[in-house]
Amino acid sequence: GSGIERALMIGSMLMVLSAELLNSAIEAVIERYGAEHHELAGRAKDMGSAAVFVLMMNVLLCWGLVLAPRWT
């Protein structure tokens, strides 16, 4: 494939890893300030997880659009 296709495929995975690191940082900060449940803490964790999920969907989309034409 072209360099652009490879960059999209690898870059999309690196974005997931970056979001996962940021999500772990958010969770570490929340745990640092106390384990008791707080609505905003829960929302922050949920949003971090949602960001990782959205980027995982982006990986599937990028890989699918790059690889699908090769199978048809």
Side-chain angles (χ1 to χ4, degrees), residues 30-38:
I30 290 170
E31 292 305 313
R32 159 69 176 86
Y33 283 99
E36 75 278 354
H37 180 73
H38 190 283

Side-chain angles (χ1 to χ4, degrees), residues 8-67:
L8 273 171
M9 293 169 76
I10 294 169
S12 64
M13 288 194 302
L14 290 176
M15 287 189 347
V16 172
L17 290 174
S18 297
E20 194 61 68
L21 288 168
L22 289 170
N23 189 35
S24 296
I26 290 168
E27 291 181 1
V29 168
I30 290 170
E31 292 305 313
R32 159 69 176 86
Y33 283 99
E36 75 278 354
H37 180 73
H38 190 283
E39 181 189 350
L40 289 177
R43 283 182 26 202
K45 286 183 176 184
D46 290 345
M47 286 185 262
S49 297
V52 173
F53 176 78
V54 167
L55 287 171
M56 283 297 297
M57 294 300 100
N58 182 59
V59 168
L60 292 175
L61 181 66
C62 287
W63 280 66
L65 290 173
V66 169
L67 295 178

